[in-house]
CSV table of all heavy atoms in Angstrom, one decimal:
chain,number,residue,atom,x,y,z
A,78,LEU,N,-8.5,2.6,-14.2
A,78,LEU,CA,-8.8,3.1,-12.8
A,78,LEU,C,-10.3,2.7,-12.5
A,78,LEU,O,-10.6,2.4,-11.4
A,78,LEU,CB,-8.6,4.6,-12.7
A,78,LEU,CG,-8.9,5.1,-11.3
A,78,LEU,CD1,-8.1,4.4,-10.2
A,78,LEU,CD2,-8.4,6.6,-11.2
A,79,SER,N,-11.1,2.8,-13.6
A,79,SER,CA,-12.5,2.4,-13.4
A,79,SER,C,-12.7,1.0,-13.0
A,79,SER,O,-13.4,0.6,-12.1
A,79,SER,CB,-13.3,2.7,-14.7
A,79,SER,OG,-14.6,2.4,-14.6
A,80,LYS,N,-11.9,0.1,-13.7
A,80,LYS,CA,-11.9,-1.3,-13.4
A,80,LYS,C,-11.3,-1.6,-12.0
A,80,LYS,O,-11.8,-2.5,-11.3
A,80,LYS,CB,-11.2,-2.1,-14.5
A,80,LYS,CG,-11.9,-2.1,-15.8
A,80,LYS,CD,-11.1,-3.0,-16.8
A,80,LYS,CE,-11.9,-3.1,-18.2
A,80,LYS,NZ,-11.1,-3.8,-19.2
A,81,LEU,N,-10.4,-0.8,-11.6
A,81,LEU,CA,-9.8,-1.0,-10.3
A,81,LEU,C,-10.8,-0.7,-9.2
A,81,LEU,O,-10.9,-1.4,-8.2
A,81,LEU,CB,-8.6,0.0,-10.1
A,81,LEU,CG,-7.7,-0.3,-8.9
A,81,LEU,CD1,-7.0,-1.7,-9.0
A,81,LEU,CD2,-6.6,0.8,-8.8
A,82,VAL,N,-11.6,0.4,-9.4
A,82,VAL,CA,-12.7,0.7,-8.4
A,82,VAL,C,-13.7,-0.5,-8.4
A,82,VAL,O,-14.1,-0.9,-7.3
A,82,VAL,CB,-13.4,2.0,-8.8
A,82,VAL,CG1,-14.7,2.2,-8.0
A,82,VAL,CG2,-12.4,3.2,-8.7
A,83,GLU,N,-14.0,-1.0,-9.6
A,83,GLU,CA,-14.9,-2.2,-9.6
A,83,GLU,C,-14.3,-3.4,-9.0
A,83,GLU,O,-15.0,-4.2,-8.3
A,83,GLU,CB,-15.3,-2.5,-11.1
A,83,GLU,CG,-16.3,-1.5,-11.7
A,83,GLU,CD,-17.5,-1.3,-10.8
A,83,GLU,OE1,-18.1,-2.3,-10.4
A,83,GLU,OE2,-17.8,-0.2,-10.5
A,84,THR,N,-13.0,-3.5,-9.0
A,84,THR,CA,-12.3,-4.6,-8.3
A,84,THR,C,-12.6,-4.5,-6.8
A,84,THR,O,-12.8,-5.5,-6.1
A,84,THR,CB,-10.8,-4.6,-8.6
A,84,THR,OG1,-10.6,-4.8,-10.1
A,84,THR,CG2,-10.1,-5.6,-7.8
A,85,VAL,N,-12.4,-3.3,-6.3
A,85,VAL,CA,-12.6,-3.1,-4.9
A,85,VAL,C,-14.1,-3.4,-4.5
A,85,VAL,O,-14.4,-4.1,-3.5
A,85,VAL,CB,-12.3,-1.7,-4.4
A,85,VAL,CG1,-12.6,-1.5,-2.9
A,85,VAL,CG2,-10.8,-1.5,-4.7
A,86,ARG,N,-15.0,-3.0,-5.4
A,86,ARG,CA,-16.5,-3.2,-5.1
A,86,ARG,C,-16.7,-4.7,-5.0
A,86,ARG,O,-17.4,-5.2,-4.2
A,86,ARG,CB,-17.3,-2.6,-6.2
A,86,ARG,CG,-18.8,-2.5,-5.9
A,86,ARG,CD,-19.5,-2.0,-7.1
A,86,ARG,NE,-19.1,-0.7,-7.7
A,86,ARG,CZ,-19.3,0.5,-7.2
A,86,ARG,NH1,-20.2,0.6,-6.1
A,86,ARG,NH2,-18.9,1.6,-7.7
A,87,ARG,N,-16.1,-5.5,-6.0
A,87,ARG,CA,-16.2,-6.9,-6.0
A,87,ARG,C,-15.6,-7.5,-4.7
A,87,ARG,O,-16.2,-8.5,-4.1
A,87,ARG,CB,-15.6,-7.5,-7.3
A,87,ARG,CG,-15.8,-9.0,-7.5
A,87,ARG,CD,-15.1,-9.4,-8.7
A,87,ARG,NE,-15.0,-10.8,-8.9
A,87,ARG,CZ,-14.2,-11.5,-9.7
A,87,ARG,NH1,-13.5,-10.8,-10.6
A,87,ARG,NH2,-14.2,-12.8,-9.8
A,88,PHE,N,-14.5,-7.1,-4.3
A,88,PHE,CA,-13.8,-7.6,-3.1
A,88,PHE,C,-14.7,-7.4,-1.9
A,88,PHE,O,-14.8,-8.3,-1.0
A,88,PHE,CB,-12.5,-6.8,-3.0
A,88,PHE,CG,-11.7,-7.1,-1.7
A,88,PHE,CD1,-10.8,-8.2,-1.6
A,88,PHE,CD2,-11.8,-6.3,-0.6
A,88,PHE,CE1,-10.2,-8.5,-0.5
A,88,PHE,CE2,-11.2,-6.6,0.6
A,88,PHE,CZ,-10.3,-7.6,0.7
A,89,ARG,N,-15.3,-6.3,-1.8
A,89,ARG,CA,-16.2,-5.9,-0.6
A,89,ARG,C,-17.4,-6.8,-0.5
A,89,ARG,O,-17.9,-6.9,0.6
A,89,ARG,CB,-16.6,-4.5,-0.7
A,89,ARG,CG,-15.5,-3.5,-0.3
A,89,ARG,CD,-15.4,-3.4,1.2
A,89,ARG,NE,-14.2,-2.6,1.5
A,89,ARG,CZ,-13.1,-3.1,2.0
A,89,ARG,NH1,-13.0,-4.3,2.4
A,89,ARG,NH2,-12.0,-2.3,2.3
A,90,LYS,N,-17.7,-7.6,-1.6
A,90,LYS,CA,-18.9,-8.5,-1.4
A,90,LYS,C,-18.6,-9.6,-0.5
A,90,LYS,O,-19.5,-10.2,0.1
A,90,LYS,CB,-19.3,-9.0,-2.8
A,90,LYS,CG,-19.9,-8.0,-3.7
A,90,LYS,CD,-20.2,-8.6,-5.1
A,90,LYS,CE,-20.8,-7.5,-6.0
A,90,LYS,NZ,-21.1,-8.0,-7.4
A,91,ALA,N,-17.3,-9.9,-0.3
A,91,ALA,CA,-16.9,-11.0,0.6
A,91,ALA,C,-16.1,-10.5,1.8
A,91,ALA,O,-15.9,-11.3,2.7
A,91,ALA,CB,-16.0,-12.1,-0.2
A,92,ASP,N,-15.6,-9.2,1.8
A,92,ASP,CA,-14.7,-8.8,2.8
A,92,ASP,C,-15.0,-7.3,3.2
A,92,ASP,O,-14.8,-6.5,2.3
A,92,ASP,CB,-13.3,-8.9,2.5
A,92,ASP,CG,-12.3,-8.6,3.6
A,92,ASP,OD1,-12.5,-7.6,4.3
A,92,ASP,OD2,-11.4,-9.4,3.9
A,93,ASP,N,-15.7,-7.1,4.3
A,93,ASP,CA,-16.0,-5.7,4.7
A,93,ASP,C,-15.1,-5.3,5.8
A,93,ASP,O,-15.4,-4.3,6.5
A,93,ASP,CB,-17.5,-5.7,5.1
A,93,ASP,CG,-18.0,-4.2,5.3
A,93,ASP,OD1,-17.6,-3.4,4.4
A,93,ASP,OD2,-18.7,-3.9,6.2
A,94,ARG,N,-14.0,-6.0,6.1
A,94,ARG,CA,-13.2,-5.7,7.2
A,94,ARG,C,-11.8,-5.2,6.8
A,94,ARG,O,-11.3,-4.2,7.5
A,94,ARG,CB,-13.0,-7.0,8.1
A,94,ARG,CG,-12.1,-6.8,9.3
A,94,ARG,CD,-11.9,-8.1,10.0
A,94,ARG,NE,-11.2,-9.0,9.1
A,94,ARG,CZ,-9.9,-9.1,9.0
A,94,ARG,NH1,-9.1,-8.3,9.7
A,94,ARG,NH2,-9.3,-10.0,8.2
A,95,THR,N,-11.2,-5.7,5.8
A,95,THR,CA,-9.8,-5.4,5.5
A,95,THR,C,-9.7,-4.0,4.8
A,95,THR,O,-10.3,-3.9,3.7
A,95,THR,CB,-9.2,-6.5,4.6
A,95,THR,OG1,-9.4,-7.8,5.2
A,95,THR,CG2,-7.7,-6.2,4.4
A,96,PRO,N,-9.0,-3.1,5.3
A,96,PRO,CA,-8.8,-1.8,4.6
A,96,PRO,C,-8.1,-1.9,3.3
A,96,PRO,O,-7.1,-2.7,3.2
A,96,PRO,CB,-8.0,-0.9,5.6
A,96,PRO,CG,-8.2,-1.6,6.9
A,96,PRO,CD,-8.3,-3.1,6.6
A,97,ILE,N,-8.5,-1.2,2.3
A,97,ILE,CA,-7.8,-1.1,1.0
A,97,ILE,C,-7.4,0.4,0.7
A,97,ILE,O,-8.3,1.3,0.8
A,97,ILE,CB,-8.7,-1.6,-0.1
A,97,ILE,CG1,-8.9,-3.2,0.0
A,97,ILE,CG2,-8.1,-1.3,-1.5
A,97,ILE,CD1,-9.6,-3.8,-1.1
A,98,VAL,N,-6.2,0.6,0.4
A,98,VAL,CA,-5.6,1.9,0.1
A,98,VAL,C,-5.1,1.9,-1.3
A,98,VAL,O,-4.3,1.0,-1.7
A,98,VAL,CB,-4.5,2.3,1.1
A,98,VAL,CG1,-3.8,3.6,0.7
A,98,VAL,CG2,-5.0,2.3,2.5
A,99,LEU,N,-5.6,2.8,-2.1
A,99,LEU,CA,-5.1,2.9,-3.5
A,99,LEU,C,-3.9,3.7,-3.5
A,99,LEU,O,-3.8,4.7,-2.9
A,99,LEU,CB,-6.2,3.6,-4.4
A,99,LEU,CG,-7.5,2.9,-4.5
A,99,LEU,CD1,-8.4,3.6,-5.6
A,99,LEU,CD2,-7.4,1.4,-4.9
A,100,MET,N,-2.8,3.2,-4.2
A,100,MET,CA,-1.5,3.8,-4.2
A,100,MET,C,-1.1,4.1,-5.6
A,100,MET,O,-1.1,3.1,-6.5
A,100,MET,CB,-0.5,2.9,-3.5
A,100,MET,CG,0.9,3.5,-3.4
A,100,MET,SD,1.9,2.4,-2.4
A,100,MET,CE,3.5,3.3,-2.5
A,101,GLY,N,-0.6,5.2,-5.9
A,101,GLY,CA,-0.1,5.5,-7.3
A,101,GLY,C,0.1,7.0,-7.5
A,101,GLY,O,0.4,7.8,-6.6
A,102,ALA,N,0.0,7.4,-8.8
A,102,ALA,CA,0.2,8.7,-9.2
A,102,ALA,C,-1.1,9.5,-9.4
A,102,ALA,O,-2.2,8.9,-9.5
A,102,ALA,CB,1.1,8.7,-10.5
A,103,TYR,N,-1.0,10.8,-9.4
A,103,TYR,CA,-2.2,11.6,-9.5
A,103,TYR,C,-2.8,11.7,-10.9
A,103,TYR,O,-4.0,11.9,-11.1
A,103,TYR,CB,-1.9,13.1,-9.0
A,103,TYR,CG,-3.1,14.0,-9.0
A,103,TYR,CD1,-4.2,13.7,-8.2
A,103,TYR,CD2,-3.1,15.1,-9.8
A,103,TYR,CE1,-5.3,14.5,-8.3
A,103,TYR,CE2,-4.2,15.9,-9.9
A,103,TYR,CZ,-5.3,15.6,-9.1
A,103,TYR,OH,-6.5,16.4,-9.1
A,104,ASN,N,-1.9,11.5,-11.9
A,104,ASN,CA,-2.4,11.7,-13.3
A,104,ASN,C,-3.6,10.9,-13.6
A,104,ASN,O,-4.6,11.4,-14.2
A,104,ASN,CB,-1.3,11.3,-14.2
A,104,ASN,CG,-1.6,11.6,-15.7
A,104,ASN,OD1,-2.5,11.0,-16.3
A,104,ASN,ND2,-0.9,12.7,-16.3
A,105,PRO,N,-3.7,9.5,-13.3
A,105,PRO,CA,-4.9,8.8,-13.6
A,105,PRO,C,-6.1,9.3,-12.8
A,105,PRO,O,-7.3,9.3,-13.3
A,105,PRO,CB,-4.6,7.4,-13.1
A,105,PRO,CG,-3.1,7.3,-13.2
A,105,PRO,CD,-2.6,8.7,-12.8
A,106,ILE,N,-5.9,9.8,-11.6
A,106,ILE,CA,-7.0,10.4,-10.8
A,106,ILE,C,-7.6,11.7,-11.5
A,106,ILE,O,-8.8,11.9,-11.6
A,106,ILE,CB,-6.6,10.6,-9.4
A,106,ILE,CG1,-6.2,9.3,-8.7
A,106,ILE,CG2,-7.6,11.4,-8.6
A,106,ILE,CD1,-5.6,9.4,-7.4
A,107,HIS,N,-6.6,12.5,-11.9
A,107,HIS,CA,-7.0,13.7,-12.6
A,107,HIS,C,-7.8,13.4,-13.8
A,107,HIS,O,-8.8,14.1,-14.1
A,107,HIS,CB,-5.8,14.6,-12.9
A,107,HIS,CG,-6.1,15.8,-13.7
A,107,HIS,ND1,-6.7,16.9,-13.1
A,107,HIS,CD2,-5.8,16.2,-14.9
A,107,HIS,CE1,-6.8,17.9,-14.0
A,107,HIS,NE2,-6.3,17.5,-15.1
A,108,ALA,N,-7.3,12.4,-14.6
A,108,ALA,CA,-8.0,12.1,-15.9
A,108,ALA,C,-9.4,11.5,-15.6
A,108,ALA,O,-10.4,11.8,-16.3
A,108,ALA,CB,-7.2,11.0,-16.6
A,109,TYR,N,-9.5,10.8,-14.5
A,109,TYR,CA,-10.8,10.1,-14.1
A,109,TYR,C,-11.8,11.2,-13.6
A,109,TYR,O,-13.0,11.2,-13.8
A,109,TYR,CB,-10.6,9.1,-13.0
A,109,TYR,CG,-11.7,8.3,-12.6
A,109,TYR,CD1,-11.9,6.9,-13.1
A,109,TYR,CD2,-12.7,8.7,-11.7
A,109,TYR,CE1,-12.9,6.1,-12.7
A,109,TYR,CE2,-13.7,7.9,-11.2
A,109,TYR,CZ,-13.9,6.6,-11.8
A,109,TYR,OH,-14.9,5.8,-11.4
A,110,GLY,N,-11.2,12.2,-12.9
A,110,GLY,CA,-12.0,13.3,-12.2
A,110,GLY,C,-11.9,13.0,-10.7
A,110,GLY,O,-12.4,12.0,-10.2
A,111,THR,N,-11.2,14.0,-10.0
A,111,THR,CA,-11.0,13.8,-8.6
A,111,THR,C,-12.2,13.6,-7.8
A,111,THR,O,-12.4,12.6,-7.0
A,111,THR,CB,-10.1,14.9,-8.1
A,111,THR,OG1,-8.9,15.1,-8.9
A,111,THR,CG2,-9.7,14.7,-6.6
Side-chain angles (χ1 to χ4, degrees):
L78 185 50
S79 179
K80 289 182 179 178
L81 192 62
V82 171
E83 286 307 308
T84 297
V85 178
R86 194 186 305 278
R87 182 180 170 194
F88 174 86
R89 284 279 171 248
K90 291 180 179 177
D92 188 313
D93 193 38
R94 180 186 61 84
T95 309
I97 291 187
V98 175
L99 300 187
M100 180 175 180
Y103 181 62
N104 187 292
I106 296 174
H107 178 68
Y109 188 101
T111 304

